[in-house]
């Protein structure tokens, strides 16, 4: 699918990988709606790229429906969805304070996994109703999982489970939507320069980067965004999770 002229939705678009994806899609000529719970930051990104900022809680069905309706009114129906909204969190199954609080596990899974699916199902419903493009395609969805889905470390049960769910739904979702010409892909990034990592001391960031086989550094958000753009433009990519990690395999801790 050609990016130019298409309407695009980017969840978690106010910062990190989502913001960079929004920037690149806009540079390629897409009409981008930035969806995020942080309305002020979403507005800043939208103003930068000439897009639309929409306050949105991905876990809330009505919030997503309202955001998609507003984006549709401003930009037309979206053919591109990039799901980057998500949270982290580290808790061992049993720690010094006893068993991991169930609400901590549920919160991470609800935001990362259920939130991703919530936006996917609603955006895909819009895509399936669109006229097909010349090659029969109607839309493309790019979700964000993580290498933690495969190499989850100690303390990452909730995060790994949520990202593993995103990885696992990729193929069946692609199969569900294939009849409509809507593709579903996922990217599993490794260690990237994101707001979360920026909070760590510089020496720890350097150490993490050195653990990557090659290139020995943290990933850069433009590299993630470049893969998003390639997925959108390459119609034969469907139903797959692509690791973007410099050949990193995470150790137990």
């Amino acid at each position: 699918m050609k990016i130019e002229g298409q309407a695009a939705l980017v969840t978690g678009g106010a910062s990190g990988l989502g913001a960079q994806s929004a920037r690149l899609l806009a540079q390629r000529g897409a009409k981008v709606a930035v969806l995020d719970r942080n309305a002020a930051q979403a507005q800043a990104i939208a103003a930068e790229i000439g897009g639309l900022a929409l306050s949105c809680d991905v876990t809330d069905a009505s919030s997503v429906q309202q955001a998609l309706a507003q984006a549709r009114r401003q930009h037309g129906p979206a053919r591109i969805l990039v799901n980057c909204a998500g949270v982290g969190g580290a808790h061992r199954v049993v720690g010094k304070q006893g068993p991991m609080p169930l609400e901590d596990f549920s919160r991470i899974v609800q935001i990362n996994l259920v939130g991703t699916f919530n936006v996917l199902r609603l955006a895909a419903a819009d895509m399936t109703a669109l006229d097909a493009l010349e090659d029969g395609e109607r839309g493309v969805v790019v979700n964000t999982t993580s290498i933690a889905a495969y190499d989850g470390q100690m303390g990452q049960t909730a995060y790994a489970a949520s990202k593993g769910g995103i990885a696992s739904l990729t193929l069946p979702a692609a199969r569900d939507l294939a009849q409509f010409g809507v593709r579903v892909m996922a990217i599993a990034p490794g260690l990237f320069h994101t707001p979360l990592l920026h909070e760590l001391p510089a020496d720890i960031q350097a150490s993490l980067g050195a653990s990557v086989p090659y290139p020995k550094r943290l990933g850069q958000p433009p590299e993630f965004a470049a893969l998003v753009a390639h997925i959108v433009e390459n119609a034969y990519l469907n139903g797959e999770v692509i690791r973007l990690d410099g050949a990193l395999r995470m150790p137990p801790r």
Side-chain angles (χ1 to χ4, degrees), residues 72-104:
R72 195 184 310 119
R73 287 193 294 270
Q74 295 290 322
H75 290 164
R79 292 188 187 270
I80 300 169
L81 167 63
V82 183
N83 270 319
C84 290
V87 296
H91 299 277
R92 295 197 182 193
V93 176
V94 179
K96 294 180 180 179
Q97 305 302 319
M100 176 183 179
L102 184 59
E103 56 269 26
D104 290 347

Side-chain angles (χ1 to χ4, degrees), residues 11-90:
T11 71
S15 64
L17 303 179
Q20 196 59 44
S21 298
R23 290 185 181 102
L24 184 57
L25 290 172
Q27 289 169 10
R28 297 284 186 89
K31 296 170 288 186
V32 181
V34 179
L35 282 62
D36 205 286
R37 287 194 301 178
N38 189 327
Q41 208 163 324
Q43 184 58 53
I45 297 297
E48 174 191 334
I49 66 175
L52 174 66
L54 297 170
S55 177
C56 180
D57 178 354
V58 297
T59 68
D60 184 89
S62 61
S63 177
V64 176
Q65 288 170 336
Q66 291 171 15
L68 265 57
Q70 189 171 347
R72 195 184 310 119
R73 287 193 294 270
Q74 295 290 322
H75 290 164
R79 292 188 187 270
I80 300 169
L81 167 63
V82 183
N83 270 319
C84 290
V87 296

Side-chain angles (χ1 to χ4, degrees), residues 163-236:
K163 293 299 188 177
I166 294 172
S168 293
L169 69 77
T170 303
L171 181 58
R175 287 172 166 171
D176 279 357
L177 296 171
Q179 63 180 309
F180 304 108
V182 175
R183 296 184 288 121
V184 181
M185 288 287 294
I187 301 174
L191 297 174
F192 268 71
H193 271 294
T194 61
L196 182 63
L197 279 183
H198 288 165
E199 296 176 3
L200 299 176
D203 59 333
I204 294 180
Q205 292 187 42
S207 175
L208 290 172
S211 69
V212 180
Y214 184 81
K216 284 190 169 297
R217 58 171 174 78
L218 298 175
Q220 301 293 333
E223 293 168 321
F224 178 91
L227 182 54
V228 168
H230 179 74
I231 290 171
V232 173
E233 294 175 334
N234 190 332
Y236 210 61

Side-chain angles (χ1 to χ4, degrees), residues 152-168:
Q153 295 183 293
M154 295 170 66
Q156 286 191 325
T157 50
Y159 184 72
S162 69
K163 293 299 188 177
I166 294 172
S168 293

